[in-house]
């Protein structure tokens, strides 16, 4: 099974963790989800510890792999931001983090897991933040609108929209 193979991978096994949280912002796993049915990979930590030059790509914080029975999985790519305002954030950088995870991490470095036709994947991209950004002027777009208006990341010839979430959403059992 995919989860067991990743747990045994000599590289990826070093970047498995128990939670996806940073500065009080994170994502939770529902109590009904069995511990054996998911793993969390710290993608940003992988790059920080394995790429030591200017070629290090921007990357999301976590990749959560949830087993849904047989060979079906949900992949959650998670970017966490503990910020009060998106004014200083480059929205293109956030988009690039997801695209780099698709292009480099999942397509090149660990292709054998994520391009394996034995597995069926549903992929969700979450940008988890609490910017408390409101539209003051109805005609002016918010920074979050700007993020959503960018060209969305692609993987395996499909487009995946980035979904903004408030801090600490809960991953539920598969449907």
């Amino acid at each position: 099974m995919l989860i067991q193979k990743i747990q045994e991978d000599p590289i990826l096994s070093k970047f498995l963790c128990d939670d996806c949280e940073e500065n009080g912002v994170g994502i939770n796993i529902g109590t009904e989800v069995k511990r054996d049915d998911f793993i969390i990979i710290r993608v940003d930590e992988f790059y920080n510890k394995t790429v030591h030059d200017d070629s290090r790509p921007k990357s999301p914080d976590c990749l959560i792999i949830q087993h849904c029975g047989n060979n079906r999985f949900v992949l959650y790519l998670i970017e966490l931001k503990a910020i009060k305002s998106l004014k200083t954030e480059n929205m293109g950088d956030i988009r690039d983090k997801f695209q780099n995870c698709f292009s480099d991490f999942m397509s090149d470095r660990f292709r054998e897991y994520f391009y394996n036709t034995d597995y069926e994947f549903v992929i969700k991209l979450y940008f988890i933040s609490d910017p408390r950004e409101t539209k003051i002027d109805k005609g002016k777009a918010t920074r979050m609108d700007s993020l959503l208006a960018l060209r969305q990341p692609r993987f395996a010839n499909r487009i995946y929209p980035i979904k903004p979430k408030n801090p600490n959403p809960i991953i539920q059992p598969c449907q």
Side-chain angles (χ1 to χ4, degrees):
M1 178 171 68
L2 176 63
I3 288 177
Q4 183 178 355
K5 287 180 181 179
I6 290 174
Q7 288 171 326
E8 295 170 355
D9 183 283
I11 297 169
L12 285 180
S13 62
K14 297 175 188 172
F15 302 99
L16 298 178
C17 60
D18 292 329
D19 61 16
C20 182
E21 187 268 335
E22 189 173 277
N23 299 320
V25 174
I27 188 164
N28 297 315
I29 309 293
T31 57
E32 303 83 23
V33 178
K34 295 179 191 167
R35 182 64 190 110
D36 292 342
D37 284 344
F38 72 92
I39 57 171
I40 302 171
I41 303 170
R42 290 298 301 216
V43 179
D44 63 337
E45 187 177 329
F46 164 79
Y47 282 112
N48 288 334
K49 292 193 176 173
T50 63
V51 181
H52 303 292
D53 58 26
D54 292 338
S55 68
R56 178 176 38 223
K58 299 171 183 151
S59 61
D61 293 293
C62 305
L63 169 60
I64 300 173
I65 302 170
Q66 181 182 17
H67 183 231
C68 295
N70 297 322
N71 287 326
R72 296 180 306 114
F73 297 87
V74 178
L75 305 180
Y76 297 90
L77 279 70
I78 310 294
E79 173 61 12
L80 306 169
K81 285 289 179 190
I83 53 178
K84 297 296 182 207
S85 171
L86 290 174
K87 288 179 183 175
T88 60
E89 289 299 314
N90 180 336
M91 296 294 106
D93 286 351
I94 293 168
R95 181 231 173 255
D96 290 349
K97 289 180 179 195
F98 291 112
Q99 187 59 59
N100 290 338
C101 188
F102 282 152
S103 301
D104 186 70
F105 190 83
M106 293 169 64
S107 295
D108 289 342
R109 296 176 191 262
F110 300 104
R111 184 179 188 88
E112 70 268 24
Y113 302 123
F114 302 108
Y115 264 91
N116 188 326
T117 56
D118 292 338
Y119 306 126
E120 179 184 330
F121 296 115
V122 171
I123 301 175
K124 299 181 180 189
L125 281 56
Y126 288 171
F127 174 61
I128 300 173
S129 170
D130 187 16
R132 292 186 179 91
E133 183 179 52
T134 59
K135 282 190 179 183
I136 297 169
D137 178 357
K138 289 185 181 183
K140 188 174 180 183
T142 64
R143 299 283 288 162
M144 191 61 72
D145 291 335
S146 299
L147 173 64
L148 300 177
L150 291 173
R151 184 173 40 96
Q152 296 297 293
R154 298 180 70 90
F155 178 67
N157 295 321
R158 290 192 57 204
I159 295 172
Y160 292 93
I162 299 169
K163 296 180 181 172
K165 296 281 185 182
N166 287 326
N168 307 311
I170 299 173
I171 293 177
Q172 299 295 343
C174 301
Q175 300 289 343

